[in-house]
Amino acid sequence: MKTVTIQDIANVANVSKSTVSRVLNGTAGVHPDKRKAILAATHKFGFQPNVVARSLANGRSLTIGVLTQNIGSPFYDAISQGVIAGLQDSTYSPIFMDGQWERTSEISAIKALIGRRVDGLLLIGGALSGNDISRICKDLPTIVIARQVPSRKLPCVFVDNVDGGYIATKYLIENGHRKIAFIQGLPQHQDAIDRFAGFCRAFKESGIQLDRRLVLDGDFTAIKAECSVNRLCESRLKFTAIFAANDASAFGARLALYRRNIGVPDEVSIVGFDDQMESAFLTPPLTTVRQPAQEMGNLASRALFDLLNGKPFKSQLLKGCLQIRESVARLKTRSNHRD
Amino acid sequence: MKTVTIQDIANVANVSKSTVSRVLNGTAGVHPDKRKAILAATHKFGFQPNVVARSLANGRSLTIGVLTQNIGSPFYDAISQGVIAGLQDSTYSPIFMDGQWERTSEISAIKALIGRRVDGLLLIGGALSGNDISRICKDLPTIVIARQVPSRKLPCVFVDNVDGGYIATKYLIENGHRKIAFIQGLPQHQDAIDRFAGFCRAFKESGIQLDRRLVLDGDFTAIKAECSVNRLCESRLKFTAIFAANDASAFGARLALYRRNIGVPDEVSIVGFDDQMESAFLTPPLTTVRQPAQEMGNLASRALFDLLNGKPFKSQLLKGCLQIRESVARLKTRSNHRD
DNA sequence: TTGTAAGCGTTATCAC
DNA sequence: GTGATAACGCTTACAA
């Protein structure tokens, strides 16, 4: 069965294919009768314009390249979902390539995307430098999501991780906590570094001495956090609260405490970072810094859409906000935590 | 800056563009010297073949259409990730459209995908009938994921939900439980129906009477499950275990019990379905039926790849397997559950 | 308003 | 082996 083309419906409607193209795209006025005939033929054949040919002809592929990072994190998954949703009602479709959070891999992924003549690029996280990006993406409209790339020209949509770390820690301090453990994220990861910076700032601002021994190893996974908290408990260092660099780590911490029969929040309070879906159903429900992941993807894709239509867009710094639930308790004056 | 084409590098290498095409695709032998010159020019210009033009010329877009359903479920997200990963090292790229688990929306999404001349289709879940699919996808290689479409011709990759429901329930029964509540999934959802069928089968097989009052409303969300379990507790009906149609529902159930100070698993046991990442870190770690979500996406995309290369593929029924953790306890002879 | 014809960047079919 | 040249299906000047 031959695929039906614009020419076929032109024949049936007794017009030239230019005219068909015109009604299909609304590029110019066409006599109502002919338009009607064309539309009729279009329906009759169930005609689907060949986007590939169209792209080749006018240079726009109506495709957005999305660079993802397969790290199986609910946060990044939500961003991708947001991107898909944001593009859903536009004529653009997202095409995905994975960068594996690894420079060379990301570069070749972007090149592949460019080979497909995407009209714009959405880069979710990743390890590329601002220079890398500007060099590779040249004049392709590009928006970076979930990461701030220090470059005057690159629009980014990201949350203020320093601030997020700060408000979480401050909340614990306000609740009387002084001996607060911090579960770090991946060592080199900027988000992790920033959240820790926020943690430190809150301490400094409150004039409280930060105990370095309470800064624990982490890598954003629950299992690693569980190990670290286990070790902390065995060290017999005093602590009354834990701030985890992400919710997954908070889950790990929670489990470690559970195993040792340490009550949350009675004996130890916990704050996380992300507010992933499950966090509201932890026992007790987790107090955490909410990152609007899906909204970020959505926002970025719409912004790229604007960019493609010539409207300007400048970086957008979102603030995380503290979701207060039940995993933090005010420290009792005579602390009853284990020592 | 003009984009460099195959013609440009042909000029530099002093050959015709046909020859360039030949070395780029390895379609025919080319004199080593010329080949070298062509490759050199290619690198010099940083030439990226235009996939769009290539597709138009040879009829293959090297693109796989993926129909997703934006339901923000970790299970479906993991499938998408698996698809991306599975295609990562092939020449194919996935392009995503959302069907919103709604027939007409899915149809137009697939049509859009076809308009983009995708070489194959991956349908994740969804509401389309087998007839719908065969009609719309015609002779486009198609694989359905996470759903069995009863049609001789449609290859599917899915897990046996009836069996999953059965083994979970049987496990509870073997542990002495008789009064087992079931939290249903979305009423019309086939997975939900199947898991319930498995639940019933286990009862029947054991000759135990199923108490219909213990079959609770659900919709695969934690919040709904929490409400249902709350209501159950207030009803003062006896129950010693809960089987939730998915992990999210199990989380909701867990929280409801936590609020009423009902111990898990001491007083009530819980089994979930999915084994999403967080489940291993619930307190206590959740015993659940593991669905290999990512593997399914991976498997399906590779299978589609085979299909495109002419190799046959027949439906693959995967079995879920019970991840035994700590949310189930053997029922004490003198039951100490609340009555 | 409409048709003709020239691209868009490749691949594929021929000859040589 | 290699080079013309004709597709591929559409858009878009340019004419009429």
Side-chain angles (χ1 to χ4, degrees):
Chain A
M1 194 197 76
K2 212 187 136 299
T3 73
V4 20
T5 80
I6 209 182
Q7 182 67 65
D8 297 326
I9 89 135
N11 294 149
V12 174
N14 266 311
V15 294
S16 75
K17 50 181 190 163
S18 329
T19 307
V20 177
S21 171
R22 284 192 265 263
V23 335
L24 255 34
N25 297 289
T27 7
V30 167
H31 190 89
D33 289 355
K34 302 200 169 182
R35 137 178 258 97
K36 202 169 296 177
I38 290 171
L39 257 23
T42 296
H43 276 108
K44 183 182 157 204
F45 284 127
F47 172 70
Q48 279 287 121
N50 183 330
V51 179
V52 174
R54 179 177 284 184
S55 303
L56 184 58
N58 70 6
R60 291 172 307 131
S61 65
L62 296 186
T63 304
I64 301 294
V66 185
L67 180 73
T68 61
Q69 316 290 163
N70 92 357
I71 49 180
S73 136
F75 175 63
Y76 286 93
D77 285 354
I79 293 177
S80 297
Q81 288 298 320
V83 167
I84 295 177
L87 256 23
Q88 188 63 19
D89 295 320
S90 75
T91 47
Y92 290 87
S93 302
I95 185 163
F96 286 74
M97 293 237 78
D98 196 288
Q100 301 168 74
W101 212 292
E102 203 267 301
R103 185 169 177 278
T104 59
S105 178
E106 287 177 48
I107 291 177
S108 67
I110 293 180
K111 288 211 167 133
L113 254 13
I114 290 176
R116 287 175 171 276
R117 295 299 184 272
V118 294
D119 295 331
L121 234 28
L122 251 20
L123 309 182
I124 306 180
L128 295 178
S129 72
N131 282 341
D132 281 336
I133 297 176
S134 346
R135 182 170 47 78
I136 304 168
C137 305
K138 297 228 190 282
D139 26 30
L140 202 55
T142 301
I143 292 185
V144 178
I145 310 181
R147 186 155 89 87
Q148 182 184 26
V149 177
S151 158
R152 63 224 157 291
K153 297 213 46 136
L154 267 180
C156 306
V157 175
F158 62 106
V159 315
D160 188 337
N161 282 295
V162 178
D163 183 69
Y166 171 77
I167 59 175
T169 311
K170 199 171 152 213
Y171 178 69
L172 286 170
I173 292 176
E174 285 170 355
N175 274 278
H177 296 279
R178 294 295 176 269
K179 304 196 174 303
I180 306 171
F182 179 72
I183 304 175
Q184 296 183 280
L186 270 171
Q188 310 288 356
H189 199 295
Q190 191 60 44
D191 290 358
I193 294 168
D194 288 350
R195 289 170 200 174
F196 182 56
F199 177 75
C200 295
R201 198 174 81 188
F203 267 82
K204 195 163 193 178
E205 197 181 285
S206 309
I208 306 171
Q209 186 62 33
L210 190 159
D211 184 347
R212 282 274 161 184
R213 295 170 303 176
L214 293 182
V215 177
L216 314 180
D217 286 346
D219 61 2
F220 286 138
T221 68
I223 185 78
K224 178 78 174 178
E226 186 188 359
C227 294
S228 286
V229 173
N230 269 335
R231 202 157 328 151
L232 175 63
C233 291
E234 279 157 15
S235 77
R236 315 229 101 214
L237 283 168
K238 272 190 188 176
F239 66 101
T240 66
I242 298 175
F243 174 33
N246 70 343
D247 281 0
S249 297
F251 295 168
R254 171 74 189 98
L255 183 58
L257 298 177
Y258 169 83
R259 296 226 180 279
R260 289 166 187 272
N261 255 306
I262 301 176
V264 175
D266 306 335
E267 296 174 81
V268 170
S269 294
I270 303 182
V271 177
F273 203 116
D274 269 356
D275 193 21
Q276 59 180 87
M277 296 221 350
E278 296 76 11
S279 302
F281 291 89
L282 202 66
T283 51
L286 183 67
T287 292
T288 184
V289 179
R290 169 165 165 65
Q291 290 204 90
Q294 186 136 2
E295 290 86 330
M296 283 170 65
N298 217 299
L299 177 62
S301 58
R302 290 171 186 282
L304 184 57
F305 188 65
D306 284 350
L307 224 52
L308 292 170
N309 292 325
K311 299 176 201 157
F313 176 75
K314 51 185 201 318
S315 288
Q316 193 122 357
L317 170 80
L318 308 178
K319 293 277 181 186
C321 74
L322 192 67
Q323 284 288 337
I324 297 180
R325 292 203 265 255
E326 304 163 36
S327 62
V328 174
R330 168 156 282 282
L331 191 68
K332 296 178 186 58
T333 317
R334 295 244 0 223
S335 78
N336 63 346
H337 57 76
R338 61 195 297 278
D339 64 323
Chain B
M1 194 198 76
K2 212 187 133 300
T3 74
V4 20
T5 79
I6 208 180
Q7 181 67 66
D8 297 325
I9 90 135
N11 294 149
V12 173
N14 267 312
V15 293
S16 74
K17 51 180 187 163
S18 323
T19 306
V20 177
S21 172
R22 284 193 265 261
V23 335
L24 257 33
N25 297 288
T27 11
V30 167
H31 190 90
D33 289 353
K34 304 200 169 183
R35 136 178 260 99
K36 204 170 295 178
I38 289 171
L39 258 22
T42 296
H43 276 108
K44 183 183 158 204
F45 285 127
F47 171 71
Q48 277 287 119
N50 184 329
V51 179
V52 175
R54 181 176 282 183
S55 303
L56 184 57
N58 72 4
R60 290 172 308 129
S61 64
L62 296 185
T63 304
I64 302 293
V66 184
L67 180 73
T68 61
Q69 317 290 162
N70 91 358
I71 48 178
S73 138
F75 174 63
Y76 286 94
D77 285 353
I79 294 177
S80 297
Q81 287 298 321
V83 168
I84 294 177
L87 254 23
Q88 188 62 18
D89 296 320
S90 76
T91 47
Y92 290 88
S93 302
I95 187 164
F96 287 74
M97 295 237 76
D98 196 288
Q100 301 167 74
W101 213 292
E102 203 268 301
R103 186 170 175 276
T104 59
S105 177
E106 287 178 49
I107 291 177
S108 67
I110 294 179
K111 288 209 168 134
L113 255 13
I114 291 176
R116 288 175 169 276
R117 294 301 184 270
V118 294
D119 295 332
L121 234 28
L122 251 20
L123 309 181
I124 306 179
L128 295 177
S129 71
N131 282 341
D132 281 336
I133 298 176
S134 347
R135 183 169 45 79
I136 304 167
C137 305
K138 298 226 189 285
D139 26 30
L140 202 55
T142 301
I143 292 184
V144 177
I145 310 180
R147 187 155 88 87
Q148 182 184 27
V149 178
S151 157
R152 64 225 156 291
K153 296 213 50 134
L154 266 179
C156 306
V157 175
F158 62 106
V159 316
D160 188 336
N161 282 294
V162 177
D163 183 68
Y166 171 78
I167 59 175
T169 311
K170 197 170 154 213
Y171 178 68
L172 286 170
I173 292 175
E174 285 170 354
N175 274 278
H177 296 278
R178 294 295 177 269
K179 304 198 174 299
I180 305 171
F182 179 73
I183 304 176
Q184 297 183 280
L186 269 171
Q188 310 288 356
H189 199 295
Q190 191 60 43
D191 291 357
I193 294 169
D194 288 349
R195 290 171 200 174
F196 182 56
F199 176 76
C200 295
R201 197 174 80 188
F203 267 82
K204 194 163 192 179
E205 197 181 285
S206 310
I208 305 172
Q209 186 63 33
L210 190 159
D211 184 347
R212 281 275 161 184
R213 294 169 305 174
L214 292 182
V215 177
L216 314 181
D217 287 347
D219 61 3
F220 286 138
T221 69
I223 184 76
K224 177 79 174 177
E226 186 188 359
C227 294
S228 286
V229 173
N230 269 335
R231 201 157 327 152
L232 174 62
C233 291
E234 279 156 15
S235 77
R236 317 229 97 216
L237 282 169
K238 271 191 188 172
F239 67 100
T240 66
I242 298 175
F243 173 33
N246 70 343
D247 281 359
S249 297
F251 295 168
R254 172 72 188 99
L255 183 58
L257 298 178
Y258 169 82
R259 294 224 180 281
R260 289 167 187 272
N261 256 305
I262 301 176
V264 175
D266 306 335
E267 296 174 81
V268 170
S269 294
I270 303 183
V271 176
F273 204 116
D274 269 355
D275 193 20
Q276 59 179 87
M277 298 224 344
E278 297 75 12
S279 302
F281 291 89
L282 201 66
T283 51
L286 184 67
T287 291
T288 183
V289 179
R290 168 165 168 67
Q291 291 203 88
Q294 186 135 2
E295 291 88 328
M296 283 169 67
N298 216 300
L299 177 63
S301 58
R302 290 171 185 284
L304 183 56
F305 188 66
D306 285 349
L307 223 51
L308 292 170
N309 291 325
K311 299 176 201 157
F313 176 75
K314 50 186 204 314
S315 289
Q316 192 120 356
L317 170 79
L318 307 178
K319 293 278 182 185
C321 72
L322 193 66
Q323 284 289 336
I324 296 181
R325 291 202 266 255
E326 304 162 35
S327 62
V328 173
R330 169 157 282 283
L331 189 68
K332 297 179 184 61
T333 318
R334 293 245 0 224
S335 77
N336 63 347
H337 57 75
R338 59 196 297 281
D339 64 324

mmCIF file of all heavy atoms in Angstrom, chain B residues 38-54:
data_model
loop_
_atom_site.group_PDB
_atom_site.id
_atom_site.type_symbol
_atom_site.label_atom_id
_atom_site.label_comp_id
_atom_site.label_asym_id
_atom_site.label_seq_id
_atom_site.Cartn_x
_atom_site.Cartn_y
_atom_site.Cartn_z
ATOM 1 N N ILE B 38 38.118 11.839 2.404
ATOM 2 C CA ILE B 38 36.735 12.142 2.802
ATOM 3 C C ILE B 38 36.624 12.210 4.319
ATOM 4 O O ILE B 38 36.061 13.151 4.887
ATOM 5 C CB ILE B 38 35.783 11.068 2.236
ATOM 6 C CG1 ILE B 38 35.686 11.235 0.714
ATOM 7 C CG2 ILE B 38 34.421 11.172 2.884
ATOM 8 C CD1 ILE B 38 34.949 10.122 0.019
ATOM 9 N N LEU B 39 37.176 11.193 4.970
ATOM 10 C CA LEU B 39 37.128 11.159 6.427
ATOM 11 C C LEU B 39 37.799 12.391 7.016
ATOM 12 O O LEU B 39 37.309 12.991 7.986
ATOM 13 C CB LEU B 39 37.812 9.886 6.940
ATOM 14 C CG LEU B 39 36.896 8.748 7.393
ATOM 15 C CD1 LEU B 39 35.508 8.859 6.768
ATOM 16 C CD2 LEU B 39 37.509 7.395 7.124
ATOM 17 N N ALA B 40 38.926 12.762 6.407
ATOM 18 C CA ALA B 40 39.645 13.942 6.897
ATOM 19 C C ALA B 40 38.769 15.183 6.816
ATOM 20 O O ALA B 40 38.608 15.926 7.793
ATOM 21 C CB ALA B 40 40.918 14.141 6.073
ATOM 22 N N ALA B 41 38.173 15.366 5.642
ATOM 23 C CA ALA B 41 37.307 16.532 5.452
ATOM 24 C C ALA B 41 36.141 16.508 6.436
ATOM 25 O O ALA B 41 35.745 17.529 7.007
ATOM 26 C CB ALA B 41 36.795 16.554 4.022
ATOM 27 N N THR B 42 35.616 15.330 6.638
ATOM 28 C CA THR B 42 34.505 15.170 7.565
ATOM 29 C C THR B 42 34.875 15.688 8.949
ATOM 30 O O THR B 42 34.125 16.433 9.580
ATOM 31 C CB THR B 42 34.127 13.676 7.668
ATOM 32 O OG1 THR B 42 33.665 13.227 6.400
ATOM 33 C CG2 THR B 42 33.064 13.473 8.721
ATOM 34 N N HIS B 43 36.041 15.277 9.399
ATOM 35 C CA HIS B 43 36.483 15.721 10.720
ATOM 36 C C HIS B 43 36.775 17.212 10.748
ATOM 37 O O HIS B 43 36.392 17.908 11.677
ATOM 38 C CB HIS B 43 37.731 14.936 11.144
ATOM 39 C CG HIS B 43 37.396 13.626 11.763
ATOM 40 N ND1 HIS B 43 37.620 12.423 11.128
ATOM 41 C CD2 HIS B 43 36.812 13.334 12.956
ATOM 42 C CE1 HIS B 43 37.194 11.438 11.907
ATOM 43 N NE2 HIS B 43 36.702 11.949 13.014
ATOM 44 N N LYS B 44 37.446 17.649 9.706
ATOM 45 C CA LYS B 44 37.826 19.052 9.643
ATOM 46 C C LYS B 44 36.610 19.955 9.802
ATOM 47 O O LYS B 44 36.623 20.930 10.549
ATOM 48 C CB LYS B 44 38.527 19.330 8.305
ATOM 49 C CG LYS B 44 39.024 20.760 8.161
ATOM 50 C CD LYS B 44 39.648 20.974 6.780
ATOM 51 C CE LYS B 44 39.654 22.463 6.431
ATOM 52 N NZ LYS B 44 39.696 22.664 4.972
ATOM 53 N N PHE B 45 35.544 19.610 9.088
ATOM 54 C CA PHE B 45 34.339 20.435 9.140
ATOM 55 C C PHE B 45 33.449 20.108 10.340
ATOM 56 O O PHE B 45 32.467 20.793 10.594
ATOM 57 C CB PHE B 45 33.526 20.264 7.854
ATOM 58 C CG PHE B 45 34.105 20.976 6.673
ATOM 59 C CD1 PHE B 45 34.352 20.308 5.494
ATOM 60 C CD2 PHE B 45 34.405 22.337 6.750
ATOM 61 C CE1 PHE B 45 34.875 20.972 4.397
ATOM 62 C CE2 PHE B 45 34.927 23.000 5.652
ATOM 63 C CZ PHE B 45 35.177 22.315 4.477
ATOM 64 N N GLY B 46 33.773 19.031 11.025
ATOM 65 C CA GLY B 46 32.876 18.601 12.094
ATOM 66 C C GLY B 46 31.513 18.263 11.518
ATOM 67 O O GLY B 46 30.481 18.579 12.074
ATOM 68 N N PHE B 47 31.568 17.601 10.371
ATOM 69 C CA PHE B 47 30.336 17.334 9.629
ATOM 70 C C PHE B 47 29.402 16.355 10.349
ATOM 71 O O PHE B 47 29.820 15.305 10.819
ATOM 72 C CB PHE B 47 30.693 16.785 8.248
ATOM 73 C CG PHE B 47 29.517 16.289 7.479
ATOM 74 C CD1 PHE B 47 28.587 17.182 6.963
ATOM 75 C CD2 PHE B 47 29.334 14.939 7.280
ATOM 76 C CE1 PHE B 47 27.496 16.719 6.248
ATOM 77 C CE2 PHE B 47 28.245 14.472 6.563
ATOM 78 C CZ PHE B 47 27.320 15.363 6.048
ATOM 79 N N GLN B 48 28.139 16.742 10.441
ATOM 80 C CA GLN B 48 27.104 15.872 11.004
ATOM 81 C C GLN B 48 26.071 15.606 9.922
ATOM 82 O O GLN B 48 25.397 16.532 9.483
ATOM 83 C CB GLN B 48 26.409 16.588 12.164
ATOM 84 C CG GLN B 48 27.117 16.513 13.496
ATOM 85 C CD GLN B 48 27.024 15.144 14.118
ATOM 86 O OE1 GLN B 48 28.035 14.506 14.353
ATOM 87 N NE2 GLN B 48 25.812 14.666 14.360
ATOM 88 N N PRO B 49 25.958 14.351 9.475
ATOM 89 C CA PRO B 49 24.984 14.062 8.412
ATOM 90 C C PRO B 49 23.588 14.511 8.833
ATOM 91 O O PRO B 49 23.221 14.382 9.994
ATOM 92 C CB PRO B 49 25.042 12.537 8.292
ATOM 93 C CG PRO B 49 26.284 12.112 8.975
ATOM 94 C CD PRO B 49 26.619 13.165 9.980
ATOM 95 N N ASN B 50 22.858 15.038 7.920
ATOM 96 C CA ASN B 50 21.502 15.477 8.197
ATOM 97 C C ASN B 50 20.557 14.275 8.197
ATOM 98 O O ASN B 50 20.195 13.738 7.154
ATOM 99 C CB ASN B 50 21.070 16.490 7.143
ATOM 100 C CG ASN B 50 19.708 17.051 7.430
ATOM 101 O OD1 ASN B 50 18.862 16.372 7.993
ATOM 102 N ND2 ASN B 50 19.500 18.295 7.051
ATOM 103 N N VAL B 51 20.169 13.885 9.397
ATOM 104 C CA VAL B 51 19.318 12.704 9.537
ATOM 105 C C VAL B 51 17.975 12.893 8.843
ATOM 106 O O VAL B 51 17.394 11.954 8.314
ATOM 107 C CB VAL B 51 19.100 12.370 11.024
ATOM 108 C CG1 VAL B 51 18.194 11.164 11.179
ATOM 109 C CG2 VAL B 51 20.422 12.115 11.712
ATOM 110 N N VAL B 52 17.507 14.112 8.836
ATOM 111 C CA VAL B 52 16.215 14.385 8.206
ATOM 112 C C VAL B 52 16.272 14.081 6.708
ATOM 113 O O VAL B 52 15.422 13.365 6.174
ATOM 114 C CB VAL B 52 15.816 15.859 8.427
ATOM 115 C CG1 VAL B 52 14.537 16.177 7.664
ATOM 116 C CG2 VAL B 52 15.644 16.149 9.905
ATOM 117 N N ALA B 53 17.293 14.605 6.065
ATOM 118 C CA ALA B 53 17.421 14.367 4.625
ATOM 119 C C ALA B 53 17.619 12.886 4.354
ATOM 120 O O ALA B 53 17.036 12.311 3.431
ATOM 121 C CB ALA B 53 18.597 15.161 4.078
ATOM 122 N N ARG B 54 18.418 12.291 5.180
ATOM 123 C CA ARG B 54 18.683 10.868 5.039
ATOM 124 C C ARG B 54 17.391 10.064 5.131
ATOM 125 O O ARG B 54 17.137 9.155 4.343
ATOM 126 C CB ARG B 54 19.657 10.450 6.150
ATOM 127 C CG ARG B 54 20.050 9.025 6.125
ATOM 128 C CD ARG B 54 21.087 8.736 7.196
ATOM 129 N NE ARG B 54 22.422 9.180 6.801
ATOM 130 C CZ ARG B 54 23.497 8.984 7.544
ATOM 131 N NH1 ARG B 54 23.405 8.364 8.710
ATOM 132 N NH2 ARG B 54 24.667 9.385 7.134
#
